[in-house]
Amino acid sequence: MTYIVLAALLWGLGGALAGRFMQSIPPEVLIPLRFGLAFLVLLPVVVRRPPERGEYLRLFGVGLALAGAQAFYYLAIDATTVATGIFLQYLAPVLLTLYALLRRERLAPRSLAGVALAVAGAYLLVLGPGGWVGRPVGVAYGLLAAFSFAFYAAISQGLRTPAFTSLGVATGVGALLSLPVLWAQRAQVLALDAGAALAVGYLVIFGTVLPFGLFLLGVRRVPARIATLVALIEPFAGALFAVFLVGQPLTPGVLLGGALIALGVVLNRGARA
């Protein structure tokens, strides 16, 4: 679980910094750059520690899931708001819990209560009293992002391929899929100034390679349903970092939401399903 907590903290830090220096980079530029540069960073790892035989097709699925989670998330926030997109993506543990129930897995009542409390906490923390804003298509994109993130966690369980090799292959799939977009936006890429390039570099290393790699390490030890639940720490971590980075105040709703998320995680500790 430690790896997933570290991943959530890094994602939260990236989210807190995003509002400070990422506004000048449109999603159609950021997404392909993120995948392409992350793949280049991880390529030596893939070459040195290649994937296990028989897992290439599964790793391709991991890459599709990762690409979907990122693309649908950015589409969701474009059609709604950042807060709505974050909340909808983090419905992933709900989807995995419903899947477990459909498979007639026996889940303890405290585990179900923990998921409900954590999602309620995320709602209070991220959306607050204003609720979500946006068109139905944006909500659909957000739900697709949640499904993709849930699938990313579930399909990554049981992989024998080293975690960062798996991520290298996954980012390679994302880079290949987004290559036409990158080519179409090449003029904007070349026009990025030094500050934007530094921001992209930060996001590639500390927002992609390290946290997604740590998450893959963690999901090998923790069930996917629990892993995505623990990842709900991200928005609370982002709110805490924002206090120091941008002077954002801590409201009672943020504190209550963080407490509910923590309680939901505690209630699910030791769960096997």
Side-chain angles (χ1 to χ4, degrees):
M1 195 173 288
T2 302
Y3 290 125
I4 301 169
V5 171
L6 289 173
L9 291 175
L10 286 171
W11 281 325
L13 178 59
L17 289 170
R20 191 165 185 171
F21 55 49
M22 296 299 294
Q23 295 179 353
S24 61
I25 308 174
E28 60 270 19
V29 173
L30 178 59
I31 294 174
L33 275 180
R34 186 177 184 179
F35 277 116
L37 293 175
F39 172 67
L40 291 177
V41 170
L42 290 165
L43 183 58
V45 178
V46 176
V47 172
R48 183 167 182 176
R49 303 185 68 186
E52 291 286 332
R53 291 183 179 180
E55 291 194 339
Y56 286 96
L57 183 60
R58 191 171 171 188
L59 289 172
F60 181 74
V62 174
L64 288 178
L66 180 59
Q70 294 298 299
F72 287 127
Y73 167 72
Y74 281 108
L75 288 170
I77 65 175
D78 183 60
T80 57
T81 63
V82 174
T84 300
I86 290 173
F87 173 74
L88 289 172
Q89 179 172 336
Y90 276 111
L91 290 178
V94 176
L95 297 178
L96 289 169
T97 299
L98 291 174
Y99 178 67
L101 292 173
L102 288 174
R103 294 181 60 190
R104 299 187 178 183
E105 295 181 17
R106 298 182 63 182
L107 302 181
R110 72 169 193 167
S111 295
L112 297 176
V115 172
L117 286 172
V119 172
Y123 185 92
L124 285 174
L125 194 158
V126 177
L127 296 176
W132 62 37
V133 178
R135 295 171 291 159
V137 66
V139 175
Y141 284 140
L143 293 175
L144 286 171
F147 175 83
S148 299
F149 185 43
F151 186 61
Y152 174 74
I155 198 174
S156 299
Q157 283 201 290
L159 282 172
R160 300 185 307 277
T161 298
F164 283 92
T165 299
S166 300
L167 182 60
V169 176
T171 55
V173 173
L176 183 62
L177 292 174
S178 60
L179 188 59
V181 179
L182 183 63
W183 177 254
Q185 302 297 325
R186 61 189 183 280
Q188 292 192 62
V189 173
L190 295 174
L192 292 177
D193 57 26
L198 182 63
V200 171
Y202 171 86
L203 187 59
V204 167
I205 300 299
F206 297 101
T208 307
V209 173
L210 289 178
F212 277 104
L214 289 169
F215 184 85
L216 286 178
L217 284 171
V219 83
R220 296 176 183 221
R221 297 164 173 81
V222 178
R225 185 177 65 83
I226 310 302
T228 54
L229 185 68
V230 175
L232 274 170
I233 295 171
E234 176 198 342
F236 184 59
L240 291 179
F241 287 129
V243 173
F244 304 100
L245 294 172
V246 296
Q248 178 177 301
L250 275 178
T251 65
V254 169
L255 293 173
L256 177 59
L260 289 176
I261 291 171
L263 179 58
V265 172
V266 170
L267 289 175
N268 277 272
R269 284 194 65 183
R272 294 183 180 275

